[in-house]
Amino acid sequence: MITSTANQQVKQLIQLNKKGKLRNAQDVFVVEGPRMFREAPGDRIEKIYLSETYFKSRWKEKEAEAPWEVVQDSVFKAMCDTQTPQGILCLVKQYHYSLSDLLKKENPLLLVLENIQDPGNLGTMMRTAEGAGADGVILSPGCADMYNPKTIRSTMGSVYRVPFFQTGNLKETMGQLRERGVNTFAAYLDGAKGYDRPDYRKGTAFLLGNEGNGLTQEAALSADTCIRIPMEGKLESLNVSAASAVLLYEAHRQRNL
């Protein structure tokens, strides 16, 4: 049993929670909690860490395909990113998708995100994408890290199932989508067309922008059509994850008539 925060594995996990560069260098990410453990594909789990309490009360060795280790409760808490750890933490291999992976199906439904800063919003949009039947999420270079612990928690497991691709050039990727027959729609305050007017039954990509600033003009102009979501009262904008839900579920509705 690991009993000290001076243990090298403990130090490594603390740093993996904090540093995206280290996660990328080691090609892993950290997940916490029984649900995220059970939903993780067994062949992607590299190592499992259990608090002493969890091990004594809930652990069944047959659950594990990967090697596991027991950690003293106080040390386990230091390893975790959450204030109230749930007793199990895993190292999971990162996913690597290409744009082609997101375009395998006929008439794909995609979410394209520009400069999303909040990890919680990003994770929520991954979860929403799965719920609405989207085929993938495309991230601009300025987006939050998909493997940030807060993002991972917010996905509620969707990170295991929804393909995502981080492009080095958003404008170029928008052009590639167009070449593949995908219609692109920018959610833009100056959009002339209501979001519920276009036909989303063919290949569709919704482009949404930064929480505070929305889409850049360059990104908006790279889309085929600018659309708007009406807002009552004195609102200036919707939360970006709420906007993604409105758009994705409108596409879902049209595709399931």
Side-chain angles (χ1 to χ4, degrees):
M1 182 168 68
I2 297 175
T3 59
S4 171
T5 53
N7 180 279
Q8 191 58 42
Q9 293 182 75
V10 175
K11 290 181 177 180
Q12 180 194 40
L13 282 160
I14 291 171
Q15 291 304 306
L16 285 170
N17 271 326
K18 294 178 179 178
K19 297 181 178 180
K21 286 184 178 180
L22 184 61
R23 291 192 291 269
N24 292 339
Q26 297 191 14
D27 202 31
V28 296
F29 62 103
V30 183
V31 304
E32 293 186 35
R35 175 175 177 169
M36 291 296 288
F37 159 65
R38 293 193 182 102
E39 292 191 11
D43 61 350
R44 301 199 75 87
I45 299 176
E46 293 201 338
K47 187 77 180 278
I48 302 165
Y49 295 89
L50 311 161
S51 71
E52 187 176 6
T53 297
Y54 187 95
F55 171 71
K56 290 179 177 178
S57 62
R58 300 178 62 185
W59 181 243
K60 298 176 182 178
E61 187 175 343
K62 65 181 180 181
E63 291 182 286
E65 297 179 31
W68 52 272
E69 192 137 12
V70 181
V71 183
Q72 191 176 72
D73 285 357
S74 60
V75 178
F76 186 86
K77 185 173 183 178
M79 289 165 51
C80 294
D81 185 66
T82 54
Q83 292 297 312
T84 54
Q86 299 178 59
I88 184 166
L89 178 152
C90 307
L91 274 180
V92 181
K93 295 176 186 176
Q94 290 191 9
Y95 290 84
H96 300 285
Y97 300 100
S98 66
L99 183 59
S100 296
D101 292 325
L102 279 63
L103 297 171
K104 287 180 178 178
K105 293 183 182 178
E106 187 177 2
N107 300 323
L109 175 61
L110 304 171
L111 194 58
V112 183
L113 305 175
E114 183 192 35
N115 301 335
I116 299 301
Q117 297 295 296
D118 184 79
N121 275 335
L122 178 56
T124 299
M125 286 189 281
M126 285 286 286
R127 187 179 177 189
T128 302
E130 180 177 19
D135 297 294
V137 176
I138 297 171
L139 313 174
S140 79
C143 279
D145 182 5
M146 185 63 75
Y147 295 118
N148 179 295
K150 185 176 180 181
T151 308
I152 295 297
R153 289 195 297 275
S154 297
T155 70
M156 295 292 285
S158 294
V159 68
Y160 302 136
R161 299 178 291 270
V162 177
F164 55 92
F165 168 70
Q166 186 146 30
T167 176
N169 187 314
L170 184 59
K171 185 177 180 180
E172 182 180 296
T173 299
M174 293 292 283
Q176 291 172 325
L177 292 177
R178 192 174 295 109
E179 290 171 4
R180 298 287 292 269
V182 177
N183 299 313
T184 54
F185 299 89
Y188 199 49
L189 288 175
D190 295 329
K193 186 175 287 192
Y195 80 95
D196 56 347
R197 305 298 293 174
D199 184 346
Y200 302 132
R201 291 172 295 178
K202 296 181 179 180
T204 296
F206 292 118
L207 177 60
L208 292 97
N210 175 268
E211 291 90 343
N213 302 314
L215 285 172
T216 61
Q217 187 177 43
E218 180 183 21
L221 293 176
S222 72
D224 299 315
T225 307
C226 288
I227 53 176
R228 57 181 171 78
I229 300 172
M231 291 175 290
E232 305 296 339
K234 297 182 179 180
L235 286 183
E236 293 183 356
S237 65
L238 283 179
N239 172 274
V240 67
S241 59
S244 74
V246 171
L247 298 176
L248 288 170
Y249 273 96
E250 172 59 20
H252 180 274
R253 183 192 69 82
Q254 290 186 16
R255 290 172 177 224
N256 288 276
L257 288 174

